[in-house]
Amino acid sequence: MTKKEGILLAAQELFARCGYAGTTMKMVAEQAGVASGLVFHYYESKENLFMEAGAELIKDMVTTLRQATDETASGCEAMGTFVRAYLDFTIEHEKTFPTIIRCSPFSDDNPDLDREKIAAKFLNLIHIIEDILRRGIEDGSIRDLPVPQTAFMVYGVIVGAVRTRFLTPYDIPGLFAEAREFVLRSVCV
């Protein structure tokens, strides 16, 4: 791992654990084992580092989700695979994933950040859902639904389940499995 990659990982873990306001560039440097100046050299500001930390996680997630859904036989199967892979990704990246929650355009943790820039990254996830919906409508495995609105509703279910798991004291057994089944019952024929 390069020093730059180490800084980004340290930032993801700290933003996930401490939030934007609770994380300093000095904390990131200490966790990454580098001088503070190097953090500023690569990222210039905490806001840039935060945006890059979230963007990198989303990029990894999009790659994972596309790979998981590429080989599915139908739109409905792709939808189930997408939801499962998304939720599995959150668990596999438990130490860093809350950065995405805090960086999300659906979050008010940081109202002063450039929400347009953040939203553009998140739209990649919505576009995958839209593609899956169109595929399923075409192959007959998904009901004829309004694609943009349904994509946001599906994403809302996923985000709700993830936020419940990561940000609340509620321990709801089977929440992720039920979120997946709820989506499938809602869209598949």
Side-chain angles (χ1 to χ4, degrees):
M1 180 179 299
T2 67
K3 287 184 180 186
K4 186 175 183 180
E5 291 167 339
I7 291 167
L8 195 59
L9 178 60
Q12 289 168 339
E13 290 176 356
L14 286 165
F15 287 132
R17 190 171 61 246
C18 304
Y20 181 80
T23 300
T24 65
M25 297 291 264
K26 181 180 179 189
M27 290 166 64
V28 172
E30 287 173 0
Q31 181 152 330
V34 299
S36 295
L38 192 59
V39 178
F40 282 99
H41 169 74
Y42 284 126
Y43 298 101
E44 297 179 10
S45 69
K46 184 168 83 166
E47 181 175 338
N48 287 346
L49 179 56
F50 182 67
M51 297 293 277
E52 185 63 29
E56 189 64 27
L57 283 164
I58 293 168
K59 185 180 103 183
D60 291 347
M61 177 180 256
V62 165
T63 299
T64 298
L65 296 172
R66 288 199 187 279
Q67 289 172 347
T69 58
D70 277 349
E71 301 300 318
T72 54
S74 69
C76 182
E77 182 184 339
M79 184 64 74
T81 300
F82 175 90
V83 175
R84 184 183 309 111
Y86 188 108
L87 297 172
D88 288 350
F89 185 93
T90 69
I91 294 167
E92 291 165 15
H93 297 85
E94 192 167 30
K95 285 186 170 182
T96 57
F97 187 81
T99 297
I100 292 179
I101 296 170
R102 297 176 190 282
C103 185
S104 167
F106 304 101
S107 172
D108 63 353
D109 275 2
N110 304 294
D112 296 330
L113 293 178
D114 184 352
R115 298 179 84 63
E116 295 294 324
K117 189 174 179 181
I118 296 168
K121 301 290 183 189
F122 277 83
L123 276 178
N124 290 318
L125 298 166
I126 301 298
H127 292 317
I128 296 172
I129 299 170
E130 289 174 337
D131 291 345
I132 291 169
L133 289 167
R134 284 188 197 95
R135 175 181 167 196
I137 291 168
E138 187 175 300
D139 70 26
S141 64
I142 291 179
R143 290 185 275 123
D144 190 12
L145 299 164
V147 171
Q149 296 88 338
T150 304
F152 275 95
M153 294 303 294
V154 167
Y155 193 64
V157 169
I158 296 167
V159 168
V162 170
R163 290 178 70 86
T164 299
R165 181 182 187 278
F166 280 92
L167 301 178
T168 72
Y170 309 125
D171 180 19
I172 304 169
L175 177 64
F176 279 8
E178 183 53 35
R180 180 181 177 274
E181 291 306 311
F182 180 84
V183 168
L184 294 177
R185 286 192 307 266
S186 298
V187 302
C188 295
V189 290

